[in-house]
């Protein structure tokens, strides 16, 4: 054995060393994108609600409420799984965020749909907890807001800063900013 020989170190796992292009965007940027996505969803809700009321001949907003909720759940699933399969929603393009698999590959339709189901963790826990208590809407909104803040901050506990529903779905949010274009080298004329 040579005196300078060192024992071989075990190779680092792929999850331990994150590629710079696979880093999670800052939490503030992801949450700004999340809020912008919510504003854009008003248009989707309006169009889907109009379509549902026309097809079901609903005359009052509270008639067929559960049918409308199911219809919106399906429409949201189609919307998000379609755009996530393509890599970005409009809000994600605006905020330069892209969705990829945990290995950095584009999402399959199935993986995008799984992420959609897992993303309901943003809303379902406080809604389910408040259900047996019959809380007023204002109290439900306070509980929901508190949960959203906690869920967002919980991403700080993940080694790579990813949201936990992304971890469950095998996806990750990454920066989609393009690298600066290379400037051509200027050669002095002789």
């Amino acid at each position: 054995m040579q005196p300078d020989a060192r024992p071989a170190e075990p190779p680092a796992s792929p999850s331990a060393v994150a590629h710079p292009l696979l880093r999670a965007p800052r939490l503030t940027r992801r949450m700004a994108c999340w809020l912008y996505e919510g504003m854009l969803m008003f248009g989707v809700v309006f169009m889907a609600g109009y379509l549902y009321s026309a097809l079901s001949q609903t005359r009052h907003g509270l008639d067929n409420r559960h049918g409308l909720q199911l219809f919106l759940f399906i429409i949201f699933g189609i919307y998000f799984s379609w755009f996530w399969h393509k890599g970005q929603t409009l809000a994600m393009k605006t905020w330069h965020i892209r969705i990829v698999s945990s290995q950095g590959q584009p999402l399959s339709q199935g993986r995008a749909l799984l992420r959609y189901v897992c993303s309901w963790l943003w809303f379902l826990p406080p809604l389910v907890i408040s259900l047996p208590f019959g809380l007023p809407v204002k109290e439900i909104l306070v509980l929901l807001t508190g949960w959203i803040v906690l869920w967002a901050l919980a991403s700080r506990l993940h080694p790579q800063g990813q949201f936990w529903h992304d971890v469950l779905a095998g996806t990750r949010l990454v920066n989609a900013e393009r690298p600066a274009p290379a400037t051509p080298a200027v050669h002095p004329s002789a």
Side-chain angles (χ1 to χ4, degrees):
M1 183 170 164
Q2 298 175 355
D4 292 343
R6 295 182 193 142
E9 293 181 23
S13 68
S15 63
V17 179
H19 190 278
L21 295 176
L22 296 179
R23 282 195 196 123
R26 288 188 342 259
L27 181 60
T28 53
R29 197 165 100 210
R30 286 182 286 161
M31 292 310 295
C33 179
W34 188 85
L35 289 171
Y36 184 47
E37 193 78 65
M39 291 188 318
L40 294 176
M41 291 309 293
F42 277 115
V44 175
V45 169
F46 177 78
M47 294 305 294
Y50 180 75
L51 177 64
Y52 180 81
S53 64
L55 292 175
S56 66
Q57 297 296 309
T58 301
R59 301 284 183 234
H60 189 276
L62 294 178
D63 292 342
N64 300 324
R65 187 177 73 202
H66 298 298
L68 175 60
Q69 290 170 346
L70 177 62
F71 185 71
L72 287 174
F73 179 80
I74 292 168
I75 293 297
F76 288 173
I78 293 168
Y79 172 87
F80 283 114
S81 62
W82 171 263
F83 282 106
W84 288 339
H85 172 68
K86 298 295 182 188
Q88 295 174 301
T89 63
L90 179 59
M92 293 168 82
K93 285 181 183 181
T94 303
W95 287 94
H96 305 288
I97 297 173
R98 179 171 285 288
I99 183 82
V100 294
S101 72
S102 57
Q103 293 81 26
Q105 301 299 316
L107 298 187
S108 65
Q109 283 284 350
R111 176 88 45 200
L113 189 58
L114 176 63
R115 184 179 194 261
Y116 171 69
V117 171
C118 291
S119 70
W120 277 94
L121 287 171
W122 282 100
F123 305 104
L124 282 183
L127 295 177
V128 169
I129 289 170
S130 66
L131 196 62
F133 299 110
L135 298 175
V137 173
K138 288 181 182 178
E139 291 179 16
I140 293 173
L141 288 175
V142 168
L143 186 63
L144 186 60
T145 303
W147 173 255
I148 288 170
V149 169
L150 285 174
W151 187 252
L153 290 175
S155 69
R156 302 242 184 207
L157 301 174
H158 187 269
Q160 295 159 354
Q162 294 294 329
F163 290 128
W164 290 100
H165 65 278
D166 282 314
V167 174
L168 292 172
T171 60
R172 63 186 322 144
L173 294 175
V174 297
N175 289 308
E177 296 175 4
R178 294 183 181 152
T183 56
V186 178
H187 298 290
S189 299

